[in-house]
Amino acid sequence: MRLSRKNSISVFIFFILSTLLFFSCGTKAVQIQVHRPAEINLKKYAKVAMGDITNAKGRKDAHAKDVSDSITSAFFETGYFEVLDRQHLQNIIEEHNLKLSGLLDADSAPELGRIIGTSALVYGRIQTDKYDEERSSSDTWKDSKGKSHKTHYRKGVYTLAVSIKILDIETSQIVATKNLQASYKNKTRKTDGTAPKIDDNALYTSCLNRIKADLKKLIAPYKKMVEANFQTDSKLPETESALNQFKIDEWDTGVSLLEDAASKPGLEPKVQAKAYYNLGLAQMYSGQFDEAIENFKKAMILNPKEDRYVDAVKTAKKEQVMADKLEMQQRDN
């Protein structure tokens, strides 16, 4: 399958100029931004209803509300869903004279589903919500003037773990269950005195933000940076020229230069293998997976002792699977 670079559902690439680095091993590393598919395919659910998040005891408290707000924001910020938060749902319940008592979860979802139609309900429970702190002191030590001292330490760790369930409201079937966990720590110290207090609320906030970021990757396509290591060789000046073209987003011109390098007559097998590998790498990250795999295999034949060519074939196959999954998730969106 060949995906056009200009197609909105294909892998999108741009190069960060400041991240081009030379390495002594004869490669040039380029940071590339690519699209990745969501782990959970929620494409069929245009609406997402936010149910209740409870604490470990099954109750709603301030932290449960914080987690609920973070989850709501995660869905909203993806831009893929119409998010029905608790207030929206309450309005719907009152408008249709529904009598939903207690928590909004799997038990109460079917009645709500008859009103709002095809949608997903998100609810869950905080499994872990704790701050642990340790205090310790060093052995007595002496400074350059012979004066004795002791250093005192604090080490704090905040851990937050949330179990999330996503339910198809119409069928009452669980679509996905995910456990999201984050842990952040900090240390303070002071000589001859009590170590400063650690801001555990800041650690808690960091945990909330991490869970929110991880959830966004689970429920919607996202972007990430990957590193592509092109092989350099004095007999392949086209590689440098091609990468310069990539820097100004002239992708087709760059690939053409790498094609010229791979077809140059008289190259030593190991050098030509590098040319085919570089061409395959550029093709892989432009969505030309079949062509990339073919050129990686040519590199393997020319230099069978180079493990990176074998790894490149495996990577290209994985990239193709992810690109197909991404296309399915983004189709008609």
Side-chain angles (χ1 to χ4, degrees), residues 16 31 42-43 100 107 118 127 140 145 150 153 162 164 173 184 194 243 254 258 323:
I16 309 300
Q31 296 293 321
L42 299 177
K43 181 179 179 296
L100 298 180
D107 294 331
T118 302
Q127 303 292 348
T140 301
K145 295 181 180 180
K150 231 179 183 181
Y153 305 90
V162 184
I164 303 295
Q173 297 296 311
Y184 282 85
T194 303
L243 296 184
L258 294 178

Short mmCIF file of all heavy atoms in Angstrom, two decimals, residues 16 31 42-43 100 107 118 127 140 145 150 153 162 164 173 184 194 243 254 258 323:
data_model
loop_
_atom_site.label_atom_id
_atom_site.label_comp_id
_atom_site.label_asym_id
_atom_site.label_seq_id
_atom_site.Cartn_x
_atom_site.Cartn_y
_atom_site.Cartn_z
N ILE A 16 12.74 19.16 12.50
CA ILE A 16 13.15 20.21 13.41
C ILE A 16 14.63 20.49 13.15
O ILE A 16 15.48 19.66 13.39
CB ILE A 16 12.95 19.77 14.87
CG1 ILE A 16 11.54 19.23 15.08
CG2 ILE A 16 13.26 20.93 15.81
CD1 ILE A 16 10.47 20.24 14.78
N GLN A 31 15.14 14.05 13.85
CA GLN A 31 13.91 13.90 14.61
C GLN A 31 12.72 14.16 13.68
O GLN A 31 12.65 15.19 13.03
CB GLN A 31 13.88 14.89 15.78
CG GLN A 31 14.95 14.66 16.82
CD GLN A 31 14.76 13.36 17.57
OE1 GLN A 31 13.63 12.99 17.90
NE2 GLN A 31 15.84 12.67 17.85
N LEU A 42 -12.45 4.52 19.20
CA LEU A 42 -13.76 5.04 19.60
C LEU A 42 -14.41 5.80 18.46
O LEU A 42 -15.28 6.65 18.68
CB LEU A 42 -13.61 5.96 20.82
CG LEU A 42 -13.05 5.32 22.09
CD1 LEU A 42 -12.88 6.36 23.18
CD2 LEU A 42 -13.94 4.18 22.57
N LYS A 43 -14.03 5.48 17.22
CA LYS A 43 -14.50 6.23 16.07
C LYS A 43 -16.02 6.26 15.95
O LYS A 43 -16.61 7.26 15.53
CB LYS A 43 -13.89 5.64 14.80
CG LYS A 43 -14.28 6.37 13.52
CD LYS A 43 -13.60 5.73 12.32
CE LYS A 43 -14.01 6.46 11.05
NZ LYS A 43 -15.43 6.35 10.76
N LEU A 100 -32.71 8.83 37.56
CA LEU A 100 -31.46 8.13 37.81
C LEU A 100 -30.97 8.54 39.19
O LEU A 100 -30.70 9.70 39.46
CB LEU A 100 -30.42 8.52 36.75
CG LEU A 100 -30.77 8.15 35.31
CD1 LEU A 100 -29.65 8.59 34.38
CD2 LEU A 100 -31.02 6.67 35.17
N ASP A 107 -24.69 0.50 35.64
CA ASP A 107 -26.04 0.13 36.05
C ASP A 107 -27.09 1.11 35.57
O ASP A 107 -28.22 0.74 35.24
CB ASP A 107 -26.10 0.00 37.58
CG ASP A 107 -25.26 -1.14 38.10
OD1 ASP A 107 -25.09 -2.13 37.34
OD2 ASP A 107 -24.77 -1.06 39.24
N THR A 118 -26.44 6.37 20.30
CA THR A 118 -25.11 5.78 20.23
C THR A 118 -24.08 6.70 20.89
O THR A 118 -23.85 7.82 20.45
CB THR A 118 -24.69 5.53 18.77
OG1 THR A 118 -25.65 4.67 18.16
CG2 THR A 118 -23.31 4.88 18.70
N GLN A 127 -7.82 4.05 42.23
CA GLN A 127 -7.33 2.87 42.94
C GLN A 127 -6.27 3.23 43.98
O GLN A 127 -6.23 2.64 45.07
CB GLN A 127 -6.73 1.86 41.93
CG GLN A 127 -7.69 1.42 40.84
CD GLN A 127 -8.83 0.57 41.37
OE1 GLN A 127 -8.81 0.10 42.50
NE2 GLN A 127 -9.85 0.37 40.54
N THR A 140 27.48 12.33 60.73
CA THR A 140 28.13 13.59 61.05
C THR A 140 29.39 13.76 60.20
O THR A 140 30.18 12.81 60.06
CB THR A 140 28.50 13.65 62.54
OG1 THR A 140 27.30 13.51 63.32
CG2 THR A 140 29.16 14.98 62.90
N LYS A 145 37.03 23.53 58.11
CA LYS A 145 37.51 24.14 59.36
C LYS A 145 37.38 23.20 60.55
O LYS A 145 37.66 23.59 61.69
CB LYS A 145 36.72 25.42 59.62
CG LYS A 145 36.95 26.50 58.57
CD LYS A 145 36.16 27.77 58.90
CE LYS A 145 36.40 28.83 57.85
NZ LYS A 145 35.65 30.09 58.16
N LYS A 150 25.54 17.94 60.17
CA LYS A 150 24.68 16.84 59.76
C LYS A 150 23.73 17.37 58.70
O LYS A 150 23.18 18.46 58.83
CB LYS A 150 23.88 16.31 60.95
CG LYS A 150 23.97 14.81 61.12
CD LYS A 150 23.18 14.33 62.31
CE LYS A 150 23.39 12.82 62.45
NZ LYS A 150 22.62 12.27 63.59
N TYR A 153 17.44 15.15 55.16
CA TYR A 153 16.79 14.97 53.87
C TYR A 153 15.30 14.65 54.03
O TYR A 153 14.88 14.06 55.02
CB TYR A 153 17.43 13.81 53.09
CG TYR A 153 18.92 13.92 52.90
CD1 TYR A 153 19.80 13.39 53.84
CD2 TYR A 153 19.44 14.54 51.77
CE1 TYR A 153 21.17 13.47 53.66
CE2 TYR A 153 20.82 14.62 51.57
CZ TYR A 153 21.67 14.09 52.52
OH TYR A 153 23.03 14.17 52.34
N VAL A 162 -5.67 5.31 38.47
CA VAL A 162 -7.10 5.40 38.17
C VAL A 162 -7.49 4.29 37.21
O VAL A 162 -6.82 4.06 36.19
CB VAL A 162 -7.46 6.76 37.54
CG1 VAL A 162 -8.96 6.86 37.32
CG2 VAL A 162 -6.96 7.91 38.40
N ILE A 164 -10.14 3.20 34.53
CA ILE A 164 -11.14 3.82 33.66
C ILE A 164 -11.88 2.73 32.88
O ILE A 164 -11.27 1.80 32.35
CB ILE A 164 -10.48 4.78 32.65
CG1 ILE A 164 -9.68 5.86 33.38
CG2 ILE A 164 -11.52 5.41 31.73
CD1 ILE A 164 -10.52 6.79 34.20
N GLN A 173 -22.19 -2.96 26.76
CA GLN A 173 -20.96 -3.73 26.66
C GLN A 173 -19.76 -2.85 26.98
O GLN A 173 -19.68 -1.69 26.56
CB GLN A 173 -20.79 -4.31 25.25
CG GLN A 173 -21.87 -5.30 24.85
CD GLN A 173 -21.85 -6.55 25.72
OE1 GLN A 173 -20.81 -7.16 25.93
NE2 GLN A 173 -23.02 -6.92 26.23
N TYR A 184 5.23 10.75 40.85
CA TYR A 184 6.23 11.82 40.81
C TYR A 184 6.86 11.98 42.19
O TYR A 184 6.19 11.79 43.22
CB TYR A 184 5.60 13.14 40.36
CG TYR A 184 5.37 13.21 38.87
CD1 TYR A 184 4.22 12.68 38.31
CD2 TYR A 184 6.33 13.77 38.03
CE1 TYR A 184 4.02 12.71 36.94
CE2 TYR A 184 6.13 13.82 36.67
CZ TYR A 184 4.98 13.29 36.13
OH TYR A 184 4.78 13.33 34.77
N THR A 194 16.10 21.33 59.69
CA THR A 194 15.06 20.49 59.10
C THR A 194 14.97 20.74 57.59
O THR A 194 14.93 21.89 57.14
CB THR A 194 13.70 20.79 59.74
OG1 THR A 194 13.80 20.58 61.14
CG2 THR A 194 12.61 19.88 59.16
N LEU A 243 18.98 15.38 2.80
CA LEU A 243 18.55 15.84 4.12
C LEU A 243 18.37 17.35 4.15
O LEU A 243 17.49 17.86 4.86
CB LEU A 243 19.55 15.40 5.19
CG LEU A 243 19.68 13.88 5.38
CD1 LEU A 243 20.64 13.57 6.53
CD2 LEU A 243 18.34 13.22 5.62
N GLY A 254 14.10 15.32 -2.13
CA GLY A 254 15.03 14.56 -1.31
C GLY A 254 15.00 13.08 -1.62
O GLY A 254 16.05 12.44 -1.73
N LEU A 258 17.99 10.47 -3.16
CA LEU A 258 18.37 9.17 -2.58
C LEU A 258 18.18 8.04 -3.59
O LEU A 258 18.94 7.06 -3.57
CB LEU A 258 17.53 8.91 -1.32
CG LEU A 258 17.79 9.86 -0.14
CD1 LEU A 258 16.87 9.52 1.03
CD2 LEU A 258 19.24 9.80 0.30
N ALA A 323 -0.05 2.68 10.40
CA ALA A 323 -0.62 3.59 9.41
C ALA A 323 -2.00 3.12 8.96
O ALA A 323 -2.92 3.93 8.76
CB ALA A 323 0.31 3.71 8.21
#
